Amino acid sequence: MNIKVSFIIPCFNSGKIIKNSIKKLEKKLEKKKIKFEIIIINDGSKDKTYQIIKSLKKNNIKIINNSINLGKSSSIIKGIKLAKYEKVILIDSDMPYFECLDKLIRLLNKNDFVYINRRSKLSKLSDKSLNLYQTCRYYIGSLICSTINFLLLNKDIGDTQAGLKGFKKPKNFNRINFISTKFFFDAELMIIFYRSKIKLKSISLKYKIYKESSIKIFALENFLFLVELIKVIFYYTFKKKNKITL
């Protein structure tokens, strides 16, 4: 496939999975003969994530190490600034929606922004029998996406939070003032592309909700989550609107 891609992978306490995830990704890209670089950002992990990713470093794998936890958004922004290719793909360390990666890369070759859309009418939740944790995640995620869509986007955009999306790196990326440091970089980027009159191409899919993850429904951290969401909504409703140039 005639495309060059920078992959940005933020990590926090991913020591048990990150090595296999990177090997899985490399194998896929080499098979497709895609020219790529992988930028891994360790965000102040407390386990052996940093030691493991250091052992993976080579010419096309770059490592960024945050000595303290700065937040997923801050880590991704650091990675994108370092990216050398025009096309950028954000993917979480557990390789979510990996079965859609081929399609996303194909679409990214002809589109400026491509994203996984679990909220599409064509997307299906594979397991209808959900436990309490899965149910809470589903409805909280839906509420967040619906709020962002209603106030800041078009209702048809749908999913802002899925851990796989790709885009053409804006030429003025380093000058964009992002509000999010922790959780909502993805949503901000989609808002900026959308308001810059750039079409967002979505991918529908059949997906599942993990029965457990690092996201804790009743954690104190969720107060910070809510505060940051309010900041993003306020900024893009009343303050200066960021614009991009491609």
Side-chain angles (χ1 to χ4, degrees):
M1 197 179 299
N2 185 25
I3 187 172
K4 299 176 182 178
V5 184
S6 294
F7 283 82
I8 312 297
I9 305 177
C11 297
F12 178 69
N13 292 343
S14 303
K16 292 181 179 180
I17 62 171
I18 190 61
K19 187 173 182 178
N20 286 338
S21 291
I22 297 302
K23 287 185 175 180
K24 180 180 178 180
L25 179 59
E26 283 186 295
K27 184 177 179 181
K28 162 83 73 177
L29 299 174
E30 288 166 357
K31 183 178 179 181
K32 296 291 182 179
K33 296 182 179 179
I34 294 169
K35 190 167 185 178
F36 67 93
E37 67 170 354
I38 298 173
I39 301 173
I40 312 170
I41 308 97
N42 174 50
D43 191 23
S45 296
K46 304 299 183 183
D47 64 359
K48 294 183 178 180
T49 297
Y50 182 50
Q51 291 87 336
I52 293 170
I53 62 176
K54 276 201 303 183
S55 70
L56 301 174
K57 187 175 181 179
K58 47 189 174 182
N59 288 339
N60 63 346
I61 297 182
K62 301 173 183 176
I63 308 298
I64 297 174
N65 183 49
N66 298 335
S67 57
I68 60 172
N69 184 266
L70 298 179
K72 183 178 179 181
S73 295
S74 294
S75 297
I76 291 173
I77 291 167
K78 275 189 174 186
I80 296 171
K81 286 182 176 180
L82 190 62
K84 68 179 181 180
Y85 294 133
E86 183 180 63
K87 301 293 188 179
V88 175
I89 291 178
L90 311 180
I91 187 167
D92 289 346
S93 60
D94 58 346
M95 299 290 125
Y97 320 112
F98 194 74
E99 69 279 6
C100 297
L101 185 58
D102 286 349
K103 184 174 183 178
L104 186 141
I105 292 172
R106 286 197 306 272
L107 290 173
L108 188 58
N109 216 5
K110 297 180 180 179
N111 296 272
D112 293 323
F113 199 109
V114 184
Y115 65 105
I116 295 298
N117 188 5
R118 296 165 297 183
R119 311 303 167 192
S120 165
K121 294 178 181 178
L122 299 177
S123 292
K124 302 294 181 183
L125 183 60
S126 59
D127 186 2
K128 300 295 184 180
S129 178
L130 304 179
N131 62 26
L132 178 61
Y133 174 79
Q134 291 170 304
T135 302
C136 288
R137 278 199 64 179
Y138 177 81
Y139 284 107
I140 291 172
S142 296
L143 179 60
I144 290 169
C145 290
S146 296
T147 301
I148 293 172
N149 273 260
F150 179 74
L151 295 176
L152 303 173
L153 289 167
N154 181 294
K155 64 180 181 180
D156 294 327
I157 298 299
D159 199 344
T160 61
Q161 303 307 118
L164 175 61
K165 51 182 59 72
F167 57 93
K168 184 177 180 181
K169 182 179 176 180
K171 293 178 181 177
N172 63 331
F173 183 85
N174 290 4
R175 299 193 300 275
I176 296 174
N177 178 35
F178 291 101
I179 301 305
S180 175
T181 61
K182 299 291 185 181
F183 314 104
F184 290 103
F185 170 80
D186 303 54
E188 274 199 84
L189 194 65
M190 293 178 78
I191 293 165
I192 293 168
F193 267 76
Y194 174 73
R195 292 189 171 181
S196 299
K197 309 297 183 184
I198 296 168
K199 183 180 178 182
L200 309 183
K201 181 72 174 179
S202 70
I203 297 174
S204 56
L205 76 164
K206 188 174 182 179
Y207 69 99
K208 63 181 179 179
I209 302 172
Y210 293 109
K211 293 184 177 180
E212 56 183 45
S213 79
S214 59
I215 300 172
K216 306 302 179 186
I217 300 298
F218 302 107
L220 183 61
E221 181 185 47
N222 290 334
F223 175 74
L224 300 177
F225 190 100
L226 179 60
V227 169
E228 188 168 270
L229 177 60
I230 293 170
K231 283 182 178 179
V232 169
I233 291 172
F234 181 88
Y235 181 81
Y236 287 96
T237 301
F238 300 108
K239 298 291 185 179
K240 178 182 177 182
K241 310 299 189 295
N242 285 324
K243 295 290 184 180
I244 61 172
T245 54
L246 296 179

